[in-house]
Amino acid sequence: MPAPEPAASTILDEITAIDPWTRRARPGLLYVMYTLLLCALPLGVVAAFNPARAQSMADAMTAYLGALPEPLYALFGTCYLGYTAARQWGKVRGVDR
């Protein structure tokens, strides 16, 4: 049997990991993204029948996201970029697969 490709091997390692946080990390992020995308569908249906209501819903969502403090966005960005840099550094050093 041929050796799995490095990306496939990493995914298989994550799936078979003993640590439950490692096993759920990738699907958890995908579920959040799916939820965000699926939430747009009802807004599209509402817009087809009542554009004014859809506009007010979109305005409310924009106001909510705008009300979140800027440091929260900065923290998320810093963590995401830090994780990405650490993964790349580990791959370059040969520590991560």
Side-chain angles (χ1 to χ4, degrees):
M1 186 163 122
E5 299 211 14
S9 174
T10 301
I11 292 170
L12 289 174
D13 289 345
E14 290 176 0
I15 291 171
T16 59
I18 295 171
D19 181 17
W21 290 104
T22 303
R23 282 197 319 261
R24 291 187 296 243
R26 189 179 304 241
L29 177 62
L30 290 176
Y31 294 146
V32 169
M33 297 306 295
Y34 292 152
T35 302
L36 290 174
L37 292 173
L38 289 175
C39 286
L41 294 176
L43 188 59
V45 171
V46 170
F49 294 105
N50 191 341
R53 181 170 288 172
Q55 183 62 46
S56 68
M57 290 169 65
D59 290 342
M61 291 167 51
T62 301
Y64 170 75
L65 292 173
L68 292 174
E70 182 67 31
L72 188 61
Y73 286 113
L75 176 64
F76 173 76
T78 302
C79 291
Y80 188 80
L81 291 174
Y83 169 77
T84 304
R87 285 282 294 169
Q88 186 62 29
W89 185 58
K91 287 180 181 181
V92 168
R93 287 189 57 217
V95 176
D96 296 340
R97 287 187 259 167

